[in-house]
Amino acid sequence: MIEYIRGELTDITPAMAVIEAAGVGYALSISLNTFSAIQNKKEVKLFVHEVLMTGGRDDSYTLYGFSTKQERELYRQLITVSGVGANTARMILSSLTPAELCNVIVNGDERSLKSVKGIGLRTAQRIIVDLRDKLSGSGLVEQMPEGTAPTIDNHDKEVKNEAVGALTMLGFSPAPSAKVVTEIMKQHPGLPVEQVVKLALKQIK
């Protein structure tokens, strides 16, 4: 089992980071929160959750990377909930900061959970019922740092391409993703890429 990977950040998008360690490049799926935390760093350390999917035509092995142990623990708690898979959990952690998510669950805020793409009322209620007590007694709420303001300021074309690429990696079709991203950028010029993706997750169909 891989606990963490430390090395040079050689490539990064809002949905994936590549870290080179001991001559090996590891591609890790990340949330927007982790993207915000590591985007301007050269050397990084990501805590790892490994997912092995078997069955069907091909087996797949995916590494998920998190900037803090607390975010990884939240992810692991989320995927224990029936109906919440690996990518859905990552989408939740891309739509809400860890601190926001903890507060939403502990306070029983179904509306905020439903605002995450792909989360219906029943799943939102199940997340709250299953995790409220676990999070209340775990100390995660107190340990979670509030989200930090994004610091990047990319050219509009680069922001659009990165946002559409991230949405595609999250499972959305490129054409509708590009349409939504373009509209968001018209309404909010100069918005950093992770904020564009967060808004798109709430609007894309």
Side-chain angles (χ1 to χ4, degrees):
M1 176 180 290
I2 301 174
E3 172 63 14
Y4 64 82
I5 296 175
R6 186 203 304 270
E8 180 184 356
L9 182 63
T10 61
D11 193 19
I12 187 170
T13 72
M16 179 170 288
V18 178
I19 300 176
E20 182 175 338
V24 179
Y26 296 91
L28 299 100
S29 296
I30 59 173
S31 70
L32 286 178
N33 290 303
T34 291
F35 173 77
S36 296
I38 69 172
Q39 60 184 316
N40 293 318
K41 296 182 179 180
K42 183 177 180 180
E43 297 288 327
V44 298
K45 175 181 177 180
L46 291 185
F47 296 93
V48 175
H49 176 78
E50 304 169 71
V51 176
L52 175 62
M53 299 291 293
T54 58
R57 290 185 175 182
D58 299 300
D59 294 343
S60 65
Y61 179 64
T62 304
L63 299 177
Y64 289 86
F66 305 91
S67 61
T68 65
K69 283 187 176 181
Q70 290 79 19
E71 187 184 13
R72 181 179 64 179
E73 179 59 24
L74 261 182
Y75 178 87
R76 287 175 169 173
Q77 294 285 358
L78 284 168
I79 60 176
T80 66
V81 178
S82 177
V84 179
N87 281 325
T88 300
R90 180 172 65 157
M91 192 170 297
I92 293 172
L93 287 168
S94 293
S95 302
L96 299 165
T97 68
E100 289 170 343
L101 179 58
C102 282
N103 289 329
V104 161
I105 293 172
V106 171
N107 294 324
D109 186 355
E110 298 172 358
R111 181 177 298 181
S112 293
L113 276 176
K114 283 176 58 185
S115 71
V116 178
K117 191 67 180 177
I119 301 296
L121 176 61
R122 184 170 297 180
T123 302
Q125 291 173 336
R126 192 178 296 124
I127 291 171
I128 290 169
V129 169
D130 287 3
L131 300 185
R132 175 186 274 170
D133 290 343
K134 293 180 182 178
L135 294 182
S136 296
S138 68
L140 283 173
V141 178
E142 291 75 15
Q143 294 176 32
M144 287 297 178
E146 291 292 343
T148 55
T151 57
I152 61 172
D153 183 19
N154 289 335
H155 185 275
D156 283 352
K157 184 177 180 180
E158 184 178 349
V159 170
K160 179 181 177 180
N161 289 340
E162 285 197 16
V164 173
L167 291 165
T168 302
M169 292 180 71
L170 289 170
F172 297 102
S173 298
S177 296
K179 183 177 180 180
V180 170
V181 166
T182 299
E183 187 62 31
I184 289 171
M185 294 180 67
K186 285 181 181 178
Q187 296 176 6
H188 306 280
L191 206 63
V193 62
E194 63 266 39
Q195 294 300 319
V196 173
V197 175
K198 282 190 176 184
L199 289 175
L201 288 173
K202 296 180 180 179
Q203 298 179 26
I204 195 168
K205 297 180 179 179

